[in-house]
Structure formats: C-alpha cells, structure tokens
Amino acid sequence: GTYQFFARGDTGAQAQASRLIVDDQGMHFSEDAKNLARIAPQTLSVPWPADREHSPHRLLQRFKLARDAAWRKVGVAAPEALWQMPWDAKPPAPSDVGTWLANVLKVLGVRAPPGIKYTGHSLRGGGASAALAIGVSLPAICRWGIWRALDSVMRYLDPLVPVTREALVFFAHLVRRTAADVQ
C-alpha cells in the first residue's frame, strides 16, 4: 500500500490501520488534515487492477488478515500502527523503512549500482520516477506524494526510468484520461 502513495510517511512507517482500507471498490487512504498543511485532505482511492489476485490490494488484504491473527493469538487488540506486529517493542519509526528495504534487497540478492545507496527515500523517488515514466502528470505525482511544489519533487525524479509492467500496476490509475477515453 505504501508504494502506491509514493512511500509517504503517513502510508509508510507511520500508517494507521483504520486509514488504509481495501474493499470491493479498491484501496483507499483517508488523509489526515494535521499532516497536510495547505492541502485539503481527502480519501485517495486506487481501483482494483484487472489482475486482482496479484495486486498490491490483495497483498495488503493478506497482510492485514495475518496481522490481525497474530495480535489475536497473543490476546491483545491490534494497535492503530498498521505495520506494528506483536513481537515489535514499539511502533515502527520512519527510519525503519530504510532497514526494511535493505533487508528485502539482501534477501533478493539485489545490490545498488556503484555510487548509489538505497534508502527509504529511494522508494519515494522510485515510485515518482515510475509514475512519470508511464505518463502520470507532475501535479498528480506531487498531490499523491504530498510534495508541495514541483521543484520539491524534481530531485526525486529520474527521467530515464523506463516504462515497466509494475509501474502500470501501481500507478496506471493516475494517468490522465483523454476525452476520447471516456466517451
């Protein structure tokens, strides 16, 4: 769920379970006004992709079911911190995202190219660059990633990122349709 919202803090380590929902219509994130100075909060929705079984939506559903089962097993109500599990001493912090990413990349055997270091912010740049590659507008990337201005998102963008199938899975809903598309 977090990558679809450009790894924002409020969908990443600080995500709240009650604000990231999957239902028959898609995945929905209810923004919190206190985190969005000068931006009117709303519910951002991502419709289900054609392949529901292999979608980020289904992955989030499965995670939430496993998370709830883990908390029930220890006899404690699940906390609001979405990514906190019973064996965690405290809710995740933003710095934990970089650790999670490093662990996943290590398991997958992925190394950063020479001179590059992957961090939690690499997810923000990767998502924004992937969205740009498939034709998502800069204003849409800024709004969904809560970058307040175009110049603030520019340092995250790599215009050489190619179009990928994965980018379409995560960000196709943000590609602006033409009038001909809706007729």
Side-chain angles (χ1 to χ4, degrees):
T2 184
Y3 190 69
Q4 283 194 280
F5 301 98
F6 302 105
R8 301 160 41 149
D10 53 0
T11 62
Q14 299 169 328
Q16 296 177 349
S18 64
R19 293 181 43 224
L20 195 54
I21 305 296
V22 179
D23 63 18
D24 290 341
Q25 302 301 309
M27 185 184 314
H28 313 283
F29 174 63
S30 298
E31 295 179 313
D32 184 354
K34 70 180 179 198
N35 295 330
L36 297 173
R38 296 182 285 178
I39 298 176
Q42 58 183 300
T43 297
L44 303 179
S45 295
V46 181
W48 280 93
D51 183 1
R52 286 183 174 223
E53 195 53 35
H54 299 99
S55 68
H57 304 56
R58 187 71 75 215
L59 187 61
L60 180 62
Q61 276 184 324
R62 288 180 180 146
F63 170 79
K64 288 180 97 173
L65 288 171
R67 173 187 181 268
D68 291 347
W71 283 103
R72 274 194 309 277
K73 186 175 181 177
V74 297
V76 177
E80 186 61 10
L82 176 63
W83 307 115
Q84 185 177 4
M85 297 301 284
W87 49 84
D88 294 327
K90 60 185 178 11
S95 60
D96 292 330
V97 174
T99 302
W100 297 340
L101 178 61
N103 291 340
V104 168
L105 294 175
K106 184 176 180 180
V107 167
L108 296 174
V110 175
R111 292 183 185 194
I116 302 293
K117 179 181 178 187
Y118 291 139
T119 68
H121 267 78
S122 300
L123 296 173
R124 283 185 64 71
S129 296
L132 182 68
I134 65 165
V136 176
S137 71
L138 285 175
I141 292 169
C142 284
R143 174 58 186 89
W144 277 64
I146 51 174
W147 283 287
R148 291 188 183 144
L150 291 176
D151 61 335
S152 62
V153 75
M154 294 307 288
R155 71 185 184 108
Y156 288 90
L157 296 173
D158 181 349
L160 302 179
V161 168
V163 172
T164 64
R165 182 175 48 101
E166 293 82 7
L168 292 167
V169 167
F170 283 101
F171 305 114
H173 66 283
L174 294 176
V175 175
R176 182 171 278 231
R177 309 286 184 237
T178 66
D181 293 334
V182 295
Q183 290 184 5

